[in-house]
Amino acid sequence: KKELLLEMYVPNKGKELLRILLPTGIYLSSVKPEMPTKPDGYCLYLRKWLKNARIRNVEQVAAERILKLTIETKDPTKEEFTPITYFIYIELFSKGNFIMTNEQNVILSPLEVQVWSGRVVKPKETYLHPKQEYNAFKFGEADFCKAVEKSEKETIATTLALTFGLGGMYAEELCARAE
């Protein structure tokens, strides 16, 4: 089970927990789940580099199921305060992944090393997200119809899931609601 819990302090609200269940979802929680007595190496790594960090920005990468966090913190390798920026990519597709990069998008540490034909997620590689042919947020009805007609997938649900990157669960739900 790939699960991460980020504990955050939110001004005027107090402590919040960002619970990340890969590849299922991500949500804020006020209830801390039961934790293992000994954290794994990846959690210890994140604690070292992200202690007292601030989340400066949260954005979705294009129409992908990828969340990008911009994190600012003190460089732990320096004695004096020197701010440093990291990016954290939370991939909510396939097997899911949690990837920490530097400002140049060079991967410092992924939760899981992954290799595909067109993309590699491992330390010292540049982080590249998978490219979808279509961005569902940036085209109109005519473009959508052309893309569906051009698709060689067997069903509309498969076309929505794979061609438009919605994923199986959301594609099936969309088809069910549209009847």
Side-chain angles (χ1 to χ4, degrees), residues 42-110:
Y42 194 70
C43 287
L44 295 174
Y45 173 84
L46 292 176
R47 284 181 188 175
K48 175 185 175 183
W49 293 96
L50 300 178
K51 185 176 183 175
N52 295 322
R54 292 178 182 233
I55 299 174
R56 292 294 184 195
N57 193 32
V58 178
E59 61 187 288
Q60 181 178 358
V61 176
E64 304 291 341
R65 287 172 285 154
I66 302 172
L67 193 63
K68 178 183 177 184
L69 307 178
T70 303
I71 307 289
E72 186 179 86
T73 190
K74 175 189 178 294
D75 187 340
T77 63
K78 306 253 186 330
E79 285 292 321
E80 70 284 346
F81 180 80
T82 307
I84 189 168
T85 300
Y86 300 112
F87 299 124
I88 292 178
Y89 294 92
I90 303 167
E91 296 184 341
L92 299 169
F93 59 87
S94 185
K95 293 188 270 178
N97 212 342
F98 187 94
I99 303 149
M100 185 170 152
T101 74
N102 63 16
E103 278 186 284
Q104 293 75 40
N105 261 345
V106 174
I107 298 171
L108 301 172
S109 182

Side-chain angles (χ1 to χ4, degrees), residues 80-170:
E80 70 284 346
F81 180 80
T82 307
I84 189 168
T85 300
Y86 300 112
F87 299 124
I88 292 178
Y89 294 92
I90 303 167
E91 296 184 341
L92 299 169
F93 59 87
S94 185
K95 293 188 270 178
N97 212 342
F98 187 94
I99 303 149
M100 185 170 152
T101 74
N102 63 16
E103 278 186 284
Q104 293 75 40
N105 261 345
V106 174
I107 298 171
L108 301 172
S109 182
L111 176 61
E112 189 174 275
V113 171
Q114 297 174 333
V115 179
W116 292 276
S117 61
R119 182 168 104 97
V120 176
V121 175
K122 69 179 186 181
K124 299 182 181 164
E125 294 284 331
T126 300
Y127 176 77
L128 301 170
H129 62 84
K131 301 284 190 232
Q132 288 287 337
E133 187 177 350
Y134 302 100
N135 182 339
F137 298 154
K138 294 192 176 187
F139 62 82
E141 186 177 343
D143 297 321
F144 175 78
C145 291
K146 282 182 198 172
V148 170
E149 287 173 18
K150 187 174 133 181
S151 173
E152 296 178 3
K153 309 288 187 237
E154 289 185 30
T155 66
I156 187 70
T158 306
T159 298
L160 291 170
L162 300 177
T163 305
F164 297 109
L166 292 181
M169 181 174 69
Y170 296 111

